[in-house]
Amino acid sequence: MRYNEKELQALSRQPAEMAAELGMRGPKKGSVAKRRLVKLVVNFLFYFRPDEAEPLGALLLERCIVAQEEPGGFSISFVEDLSRKYHFECCSQEQCQEWMEALRRARNEIRKMTGKDPLEQFGISEEARFQLNSLPTTHRQTACIGSQLDVLD
């Protein structure tokens, strides 16, 4: 997919399917979770510093695997490089499930537009893309700083 920086910035200002402040940890070893405004627009997941209008970055949700890693948290990794994994901490297990379902709908939108599943060529089944790992019974406390937003301006 081709896109330029201006197009991405314009897309990041569009109404979101879902948006909230979440804890986010990048793929670098030793990175710590930071509060980020995370915004799902079509099949891009934009992330912002909570007090800034321009996105820090965007994840294109093609050829990705979404998995629940811990109670109230999920990760996104990419088929091309499974070690490139982004972790997200939600305010609750319910919010985590909402995010995972929204990401699943974004994948289905790609399928509707193209007529094919973007992961089909890699032999990855639907079940493997949105997996729930065995979760420990103890729950970690996650502070909820933000609430869901409809639009970011």
Side-chain angles (χ1 to χ4, degrees):
M1 174 182 277
R2 292 181 185 207
Y3 51 86
N4 66 39
E5 200 169 320
K6 278 189 164 191
E7 288 172 329
L8 271 181
Q9 288 177 351
L11 184 61
S12 75
R13 294 183 187 101
Q14 297 299 310
E17 324 282 324
M18 191 164 188
E21 277 191 33
L22 303 176
M24 180 180 171
R25 187 166 30 100
K28 291 182 182 174
K29 198 129 181 109
S31 68
V32 296
K34 295 180 181 171
R35 296 310 290 179
R36 296 289 183 239
L37 175 59
V38 179
K39 183 177 175 182
L40 176 63
V41 180
V42 190
N43 62 335
F44 279 93
L45 194 66
F46 294 96
Y47 51 97
F48 304 76
R49 285 190 180 95
D51 58 344
E52 294 183 5
E54 297 300 317
L56 286 172
L59 304 176
L60 177 60
L61 298 175
E62 291 183 2
R63 299 188 301 256
C64 70
I65 298 171
V66 177
Q68 186 162 355
E69 295 286 326
E70 56 197 37
F74 64 93
S75 67
I76 297 174
S77 56
F78 296 88
V79 172
E80 295 86 12
D81 181 5
L82 292 175
S83 66
R84 186 176 144 224
K85 186 183 279 191
Y86 295 82
H87 296 268
F88 298 87
E89 299 171 359
C90 300
C91 295
S92 66
Q93 182 60 31
E94 293 77 26
Q95 185 186 38
C96 180
Q97 291 301 318
E98 289 172 10
W99 272 99
M100 291 180 68
E101 183 57 36
L103 295 169
R104 181 177 286 122
R105 283 192 306 269
R107 166 68 47 70
N108 289 338
E109 288 301 312
I110 296 168
R111 187 179 296 145
K112 284 180 193 175
M113 290 187 293
T114 64
K116 62 183 178 182
D117 187 332
L119 288 180
E120 196 173 79
Q121 64 183 339
F122 295 97
I124 298 173
S125 69
E126 180 71 27
E127 296 78 33
R129 292 176 215 150
F130 296 94
Q131 56 189 326
L132 295 175
N133 295 338
S134 297
L135 299 175
T137 55
T138 58
H139 295 283
R140 191 171 59 118
Q141 293 293 330
T142 303
C144 184
I145 294 175
S147 60
Q148 289 189 336
L149 307 173
D150 292 327
V151 180
L152 173 70
D153 288 321

